[in-house]
Amino acid sequence: MSALWSTYGDMLLAAIRTHLYYVVISVAIGFVIGALLGILLSRVPQISKIVMPILSVFQTIPGLAFIGIMYMWIGMRPLTVIIALATYAIFPVLKNTYTGILEVPDQYVEAARGCGMTRFQILWKVELPLASASIYAGLRMSTIYTVSWAVLAAMIGLGGLGDFIYQGTTSNNNTLILLGAIPAAILALLLGALIDWFQRRHTPRGMRKEVRR
């Protein structure tokens, strides 16, 4: 183990930092855009029935093909990876935000309107809090997916844990494959757990699903 660390330790730490950088930036961008689009589409459900299937088409494009297109357009730059990953990160957040808001019971919205709240106040104080579980689920899904998609950065020479995986597959070296795959899996679990912790910390007690004994 010590020999393995002395050989690959510095490279592995650098790959983890690069991978995490791609994931955090891409998910942050995807979350903001996805949440905003989800809110806007929830206001026009008639249009959303047309727009949502069109947007979902992006999810069917193979990641390698999309990042290749970005590479031809932008070149070998981190921005290429970030745009590609952020695009994929948008839809889970968008879909869950849209669904979560539409599933808010009408009586709560009507009660808030009867109290004299504005449309923005209803959105901010009623709809988004009640839809928060669905939104966090979309964020968690988006983050975990992005961790796996980020290995594609290595295909265009932009680093990350994918370097170990692709070097291992081309040289038939299982050790290198595991050096890339295991940290990626751990990273996905840790980021998912962090989102769960953040959700518990910022969800009012009365809205938590856990039953305190």
Side-chain angles (χ1 to χ4, degrees):
M1 180 63 71
S2 59
L4 190 64
W5 179 257
S6 63
T7 304
Y8 297 108
D10 291 340
M11 294 171 56
L12 181 60
L13 291 176
I16 292 173
R17 285 195 298 268
T18 301
H19 205 94
L20 188 60
Y21 168 77
Y22 289 146
V23 171
V24 171
I25 298 298
S26 301
V27 170
I29 295 172
F31 177 75
V32 172
I33 296 175
L36 289 175
L37 286 176
I39 292 170
L40 291 175
L41 289 175
S42 70
R43 277 14 192 184
V44 283
Q46 297 83 2
I47 297 177
S48 66
K49 293 178 181 178
I50 301 173
V51 175
M52 291 290 284
I54 294 175
L55 293 176
S56 66
V57 170
F58 285 101
Q59 296 297 108
T60 66
I61 301 175
L64 184 58
F66 189 58
I67 205 168
I69 294 172
M70 291 294 100
Y71 174 77
M72 291 188 294
W73 180 32
I74 301 175
M76 195 173 72
R77 299 166 57 190
L79 183 62
T80 302
V81 178
I82 291 172
I83 291 176
L85 295 180
T87 301
Y88 281 104
I90 288 173
F91 192 72
V93 178
L94 188 161
K95 183 178 179 181
N96 280 43
T97 301
Y98 170 80
T99 303
I101 291 176
L102 289 187
E103 289 180 349
V104 173
D106 292 336
Q107 59 265 31
Y108 295 131
V109 177
E110 291 300 325
R113 189 175 292 115
C115 292
M117 287 188 178
T118 64
R119 295 180 64 181
F120 178 78
Q121 288 174 325
I122 294 173
L123 171 67
W124 187 253
K125 296 184 178 181
V126 178
E127 292 177 307
L128 288 180
L130 291 174
S132 62
S134 178
I135 296 172
Y136 275 113
L139 175 60
R140 188 184 306 106
M141 189 184 311
S142 175
T143 302
I144 294 173
Y145 285 168
T146 304
V147 171
S148 64
W149 290 327
V151 301
L152 296 175
M155 294 295 292
I156 57 173
L158 288 172
L161 292 169
D163 274 346
F164 287 94
I165 295 173
Y166 289 116
Q167 288 176 23
T169 54
T170 55
S171 62
N172 198 26
N173 188 326
N174 292 334
T175 299
L176 288 177
I177 295 174
L178 291 176
L179 281 175
I182 292 176
I186 294 174
L187 194 60
L189 291 173
L190 290 176
L191 291 175
L194 179 62
I195 292 171
D196 289 339
W197 174 83
F198 192 85
Q199 178 181 2
R200 289 193 299 270
R201 186 174 178 85
H202 291 84
T203 300
R205 289 186 179 182
M207 295 177 59
R208 295 177 185 174
K209 293 183 179 180
E210 297 86 0
V211 178
R212 296 184 179 273
R213 296 184 181 273

